[in-house]
Amino acid sequence: MPSGPPTPTPDPQNPNDTTADATKPEDPYPQQCLLAAAHHDVPTLRRLLDSPPESMTSVEAANVVDPETGWTLLHAAVVAFDTKFPKARMEETRGDVDVAENGGRGVDGSEDGERNGQQRLESQDVGHRGRQDLGSKDTAHSEQQAPEIEEREKLTQQAEETLHLLLQNGAIWNVLDLNDKTPGCLAHANGFKKLYDILVEAGVRAELLFGKLDEYEVLDGEESDEDEVGEDEAVPTDGEGKTPGIGVTRVEDGSEAMDTNGQKADALEEEELTNEKYLSKPLTFQTNRILDSDNNAVMMEWERNIMRRTVESLLPIDRTEQEKPVKQILNIGHGLGIISSLFLSHARADKQPVVLHIVEPHPDVLAKIRGSPDSWLDAELAKAVRSFREYDEPQAPLPKPPGYGRSDVGDDASPDFENLEVVLHPNTWQTVLPRLVTDDVTFDAIFFDTFAEDYKAFKEFFSEHVIGLLKQNGRWSFFHGLGADRQICYDVYTKVLECDLMEAGFDVEWESLNSQEGTQGWEGVRRKYWALDKYRLPICTFLD
């Protein structure tokens, strides 16, 4: 399989010229397009896209594929940028900022990038401190580098123009090649930040447009057969099935829709994961995770550090308050009970009275909560829970299950703080939240982490419900696993979220956390829902 872009035909009069006469009329049309894209030959590429064969639409022309690599024109343009500018010179001229932006990877995607970048940084520091001794040598070195920097800028501009032209003509930003890489994956692995940013922005525009089209309702009930989406059609999800991420597309002997793990659409239809199916099937509880009936991970222990920092951000400690008012907390999706327990332990350490409302619809998880606190609380924290009830009976609390709070007789181990209450809502959030709004219950902090629901459902949550539940100075967050099995999808959905949250009236601040633990421990799990080294923790508040 070729490892580089299509090979050009050199100019016979100039054997060193690899760009001249890159395309020939006798070449097949797709080959001409691939060659023009690979050499960032914008005039030729524009001519070809403007005059596709009669059997091909203009959009199909912008998405032709090399059958040997699976590369589209976008893939070819990105990969060719590497081959046109030797890596040795790129290492000297690209700068350490790009290495940092690339998450510590080298130009070839290796982990050596951070180390090499640091070495170059140290070398530059030494050079800076010794400039008065180097004298003219430093100036000569700068003058020697100037043509190479100028050359790189020129090549970068040509590559940018090529990507813009392709995207304007309908090139698909997230197509997978035969190695399951999108053009953005290749740009990110090689540290081509400007090209990567162009592809991210293209993804954001596409997803926002699809979101608007999804909201469109045909007037007068008129629907065309071509645009109608059947109720039985599967919605592509990310590997986890919590809140789905962005899918990717493979073009191979025809067009096949793929999910973010490269699974074919016809397989997805057989394996469609819906919230209704999830709630009707049994769960398997293991030491460090919950699996559904299809061995999809519902929740995993590696998320604990993320959840801990989320709690700290949602409930900052205020040591100036003498008498602390009771804070209302809403957790939607209990799972392993990680964040529920962290909310309570954080409040206990701060001597902060709280009422924790837990919304959980799955019968197996509810049985765990009702049966014993051992499934999610340690013994001492369980004793500090002075009240446990279900919201369906607000005036007549149910007897606390064994283990919650102190027993009335013979318990000498009185906790130093026991002003914690738990209210269980055994239903879906779609059922629970309207009732809370009707009852005028508002919250200081809200966390959302459900399973087997799509982005449309999540958007409904923050667009229609949070405004009636969150106090004016309150904060809310969610588990951001959207598109988290590949970096470009994660970056695209982060920006999509920013746009949708702003439209709904929320500001969001992101904190970057290490999440390398999440890349391990997936043995026996059908689909990975996390494959990234960094997690973006969102904290949302009302816009000023």
Side-chain angles (χ1 to χ4, degrees):
M1 181 181 297
S3 59
T7 304
T9 303
D11 183 354
Q13 303 301 321
N14 183 5
N16 295 322
D17 183 7
T18 60
T19 61
D21 195 22
T23 63
K24 289 187 175 183
E26 61 268 24
D27 290 335
Y29 179 81
Q31 184 74 0
Q32 293 184 54
C33 292
L34 287 162
L35 287 168
H39 292 286
H40 307 146
D41 185 352
V42 174
T44 300
L45 187 58
R46 179 179 287 111
R47 173 179 58 78
L48 290 168
L49 295 176
D50 286 344
S51 304
E54 293 183 0
S55 60
M56 188 179 295
T57 66
S58 58
V59 173
E60 290 172 340
N63 289 283
V64 297
V65 178
D66 175 22
E68 295 186 30
T69 62
W71 285 346
T72 64
L73 303 185
L74 288 173
H75 286 90
V78 170
V79 175
F81 184 66
D82 185 19
T83 61
K84 290 179 69 175
F85 203 85
K87 291 182 180 180
R89 287 188 290 155
M90 288 181 66
E91 288 293 328
E92 295 176 2
T93 59
R94 61 186 271 182
D96 294 283
V97 174
D98 281 351
V99 174
E101 291 288 341
N102 191 31
R105 296 188 179 273
V107 70
D108 59 352
S110 69
E111 297 293 343
D112 294 334
E114 185 174 354
R115 182 175 66 252
N116 294 338
Q118 183 63 32
Q119 290 172 347
R120 291 198 305 279
L121 181 61
E122 292 171 353
S123 299
Q124 289 175 5
D125 288 343
V126 171
H128 178 72
R129 289 192 294 270
R131 274 185 181 177
Q132 59 183 359
D133 299 325
L134 292 174
S136 60
K137 290 184 179 180
D138 185 62
T139 304
H141 180 67
S142 299
E143 292 177 351
Q144 188 178 21
Q145 277 192 331
E148 295 183 349
I149 295 176
E150 183 178 350
E151 180 186 1
R152 175 171 172 79
E153 290 177 350
K154 177 182 177 181
L155 293 173
T156 301
Q157 183 178 359
Q158 291 174 346
E160 291 176 10
E161 291 176 357
T162 302
L163 294 191
H164 283 305
L165 175 63
L166 291 171
L167 292 167
Q168 290 166 4
N169 280 270
I172 301 174
W173 67 275
N174 58 346
V175 176
L176 290 173
D177 65 13
L178 297 186
N179 289 321
D180 288 336
K181 302 295 183 182
T182 69
C185 294
L186 298 176
H188 183 267
N190 287 292
F192 303 153
K193 186 177 185 303
K194 290 185 177 181
L195 305 188
Y196 182 76
D197 289 345
I198 290 172
L199 293 166
V200 169
E201 292 302 323
V204 173
R205 290 193 300 270
E207 293 304 315
L208 289 175
L209 176 60
F210 291 150
K212 291 299 181 183
L213 292 175
D214 191 47
E215 296 173 2
Y216 173 73
E217 294 182 2
V218 180
L219 298 178
D220 300 326
E222 294 181 0
E223 297 182 355
S224 66
D225 294 336
E226 182 179 350
D227 296 333
E228 183 177 356
V229 178
E231 295 180 358
D232 296 333
E233 291 184 22
V235 178
T237 66
D238 65 5
E240 172 195 24
K242 283 189 176 181
T243 305
I246 300 173
V248 291
T249 301
R250 185 197 301 276
V251 180
E252 178 185 5
D253 297 327
S255 181
E256 293 179 343
M258 311 290 287
D259 77 347
T260 52
N261 288 286
Q263 292 181 310
K264 295 181 181 179
D266 55 1
L268 281 177
E269 290 182 7
E270 297 175 3
E271 303 162 2
E272 181 181 0
L273 179 61
T274 65
N275 191 252
E276 182 180 5
K277 176 184 175 182
Y278 160 68
L279 295 177
S280 66
K281 299 291 185 178
L283 299 177
T284 299
F285 292 83
Q286 300 178 349
T287 303
N288 61 348
R289 62 193 184 186
I290 300 176
L291 303 180
D292 71 0
S293 59
D294 294 324
N295 287 330
N296 294 307
V298 177
M299 190 174 191
M300 300 180 72
E301 177 65 28
W302 70 265
E303 299 175 29
R304 183 173 295 275
N305 289 335
I306 289 173
M307 301 297 184
R308 179 178 289 107
R309 182 58 189 148
T310 300
V311 169
E312 294 170 351
S313 300
L314 289 175
L315 296 175
I317 294 177
D318 186 355
R319 302 192 184 282
T320 62
E321 292 181 317
Q322 297 299 319
E323 293 186 9
K324 298 181 179 180
V326 176
K327 288 193 173 182
Q328 301 279 343
I329 303 170
L330 176 63
N331 177 32
I332 301 172
H334 183 76
L336 286 170
I338 294 176
I339 201 164
S340 294
S341 65
L342 289 171
F343 274 129
L344 295 177
S345 61
H346 181 82
R348 184 188 180 198
D350 189 30
K351 296 190 182 304
Q352 170 66 61
V354 300
V355 178
L356 173 63
H357 292 250
I358 299 174
V359 178
E360 174 57 54
H362 200 287
D364 290 355
V365 179
L366 291 172
K368 288 275 188 180
I369 299 174
R370 289 165 171 159
S372 170
D374 293 346
S375 65
W376 64 291
L377 295 176
D378 62 48
E380 288 302 310
L381 186 57
K383 290 179 180 180
V385 178
R386 71 173 186 178
S387 172
F388 179 97
R389 63 183 175 86
E390 299 196 13
Y391 192 77
D392 287 341
E393 299 290 342
Q395 302 304 322
L398 298 175
K400 285 182 291 188
Y404 287 101
R406 289 180 296 151
S407 61
D408 294 331
V409 180
D411 190 349
D412 296 329
S414 175
D416 56 355
F417 181 78
E418 52 178 338
N419 202 358
L420 308 176
E421 299 182 42
V422 176
V423 181
L424 181 62
H425 301 260
N427 216 321
T428 64
W429 62 266
Q430 290 90 340
T431 300
V432 171
L433 300 191
R435 179 176 175 182
L436 289 174
V437 172
T438 300
D439 293 346
D440 199 24
V441 181
T442 56
F443 297 92
D444 299 274
I446 299 173
F447 184 73
F448 185 95
D449 184 12
T450 63
F451 185 78
E453 292 188 312
D454 59 17
Y455 181 70
K456 184 178 180 180
F458 177 53
K459 188 175 180 181
E460 176 191 340
F461 162 74
F462 67 74
S463 297
E464 300 182 16
H465 296 279
V466 175
I467 190 171
L469 295 168
L470 189 67
K471 294 181 180 179
Q472 189 59 38
N473 60 345
R475 302 179 179 190
W476 72 276
S477 185
F478 54 93
F479 182 81
H480 179 22
L482 298 165
D485 66 342
R486 62 182 69 237
Q487 190 66 53
I488 188 166
C489 291
Y490 197 62
D491 290 343
V492 166
Y493 239 122
T494 298
K495 291 181 176 291
V496 170
L497 276 165
E498 290 177 347
C499 295
D500 287 342
L501 286 167
M502 179 175 291
E503 184 177 354
F506 298 103
D507 185 26
V508 58
E509 294 186 0
W510 304 95
E511 180 179 350
S512 181
L513 303 177
N514 288 327
S515 59
Q516 293 178 339
E517 289 181 89
T519 62
Q520 303 172 359
W522 294 92
E523 296 80 7
V525 176
R526 186 180 183 184
R527 297 178 181 176
K528 289 182 64 173
Y529 65 81
W530 193 266
L532 307 178
D533 293 337
K534 296 290 183 180
Y535 172 83
R536 293 194 181 108
L537 189 160
I539 297 296
C540 306
T541 55
F542 284 116
L543 286 170
D544 295 332

